[in-house]
Amino acid sequence: MKQKPIVHRKDLHWWEQFYIPQIINGMRITLSQVFRPKFTRQYPEEKWNPPSSFRGRPVLVEQNGVERCVACGLCSRVCPALAIDVQASETELLKERYPVRFEINMLRCIFCGFCEEVCPEEAIVMSKEFELVFRHQEDAIFGKEKLLLPADKLKDRLEFLRKNR
Ligand code: SF4
Ligand code: SF4
């Protein structure tokens, strides 16, 4: 790329040394923005409902009162932040295996969505939840009680995934 020549202050006309044209141009741009529609919102009073493509915190899908997860451990293997801890056990149900313990460390999670992408059961998906506040580090480790969400509440995301896979 061709470099612009360096202009020294002493080479400028006295009118240019005051930077009046640049200041006027800056004011013109600022004023033109004042009358344009606002893109900001009064958060947190005004809530935002993200689209289904949004990647909020990962959650586990619950169907008919049980988690869809079969504790294969793929999500834990693929997670680049090593945020997922799964411990498998056997069950009498048709799926044969389930996670007796499933934890995600939300302080580690980078919301990449790899766990969702790799899951063969559509058992872990990215929700619309993005407001996460913790007082202590241990509060950020979400177990099944915080991770499980009924499939009905995740319909948007599940449909989005089916359309875009
Ligand atoms: S979203 Fe990414 S970082 Fe977070 S748990 Fe899933 S794979 Fe790990
Ligand atoms: S959430 Fe999916 S990928 Fe992770 S252990 Fe369960 S079934 Fe396997």
Side-chain angles (χ1 to χ4, degrees):
M1 203 174 77
K2 205 178 164 191
Q3 277 201 326
K4 282 187 182 174
I6 297 169
V7 181
H8 295 285
R9 193 179 161 87
K10 65 178 170 49
D11 302 329
L12 295 174
H13 188 269
W14 68 268
W15 163 254
E16 288 171 327
Q17 286 191 17
F18 283 115
Y19 297 107
I20 301 289
Q22 287 77 8
I23 291 169
I24 292 172
N25 199 28
M27 292 299 287
R28 187 184 58 77
I29 293 171
T30 306
L31 282 172
S32 70
Q33 295 298 316
V34 167
F35 301 103
R36 297 185 73 176
K38 281 186 198 164
F39 290 97
T40 50
R41 65 178 65 234
Q42 295 299 315
Y43 181 82
E45 289 79 17
E46 203 183 323
K47 294 284 180 196
W48 179 54
N49 185 27
S52 47
S53 55
F54 182 77
R55 291 203 305 254
R57 76 166 175 104
V59 294
L60 287 176
V61 184
E62 182 186 285
Q63 199 151 33
N64 304 325
V66 286
E67 65 282 289
R68 277 189 186 172
C69 176
V70 293
C72 66
L74 279 175
C75 54
S76 163
R77 278 298 278 269
V78 82
C79 177
L82 304 177
I84 305 179
D85 189 13
V86 193
Q87 191 184 335
S89 189
E90 290 181 2
T91 171
E92 296 297 313
L93 297 169
L94 205 59
K95 62 179 183 172
E96 294 179 3
R97 278 161 60 96
Y98 82 107
V100 65
R101 186 164 56 86
F102 197 112
E103 288 177 349
I104 302 183
N105 186 336
M106 291 298 168
L107 287 178
R108 283 178 167 250
C109 179
I110 53 169
F111 296 41
C112 65
F114 284 3
C115 49
E116 175 189 67
E117 218 168 287
V118 81
C119 179
E121 300 292 325
E122 284 187 344
I124 186 165
V125 296
M126 307 306 281
S127 69
K128 291 185 179 183
E129 201 181 316
F130 57 90
E131 293 168 313
L132 296 169
V133 182
F134 316 109
R135 280 174 178 268
H136 306 285
Q137 283 199 0
E138 48 281 15
D139 295 347
I141 298 169
F142 284 17
K144 285 207 293 183
E145 67 293 343
K146 284 190 186 163
L147 291 175
L148 279 167
L149 268 187
D152 288 349
K153 290 195 176 168
L154 299 163
K155 229 176 355 187
D156 276 13
R157 184 66 185 179
L158 290 166
E159 274 171 21
F160 170 82
L161 292 175
R162 277 171 209 155
K163 273 189 208 150
N164 294 285
R165 265 185 176 154

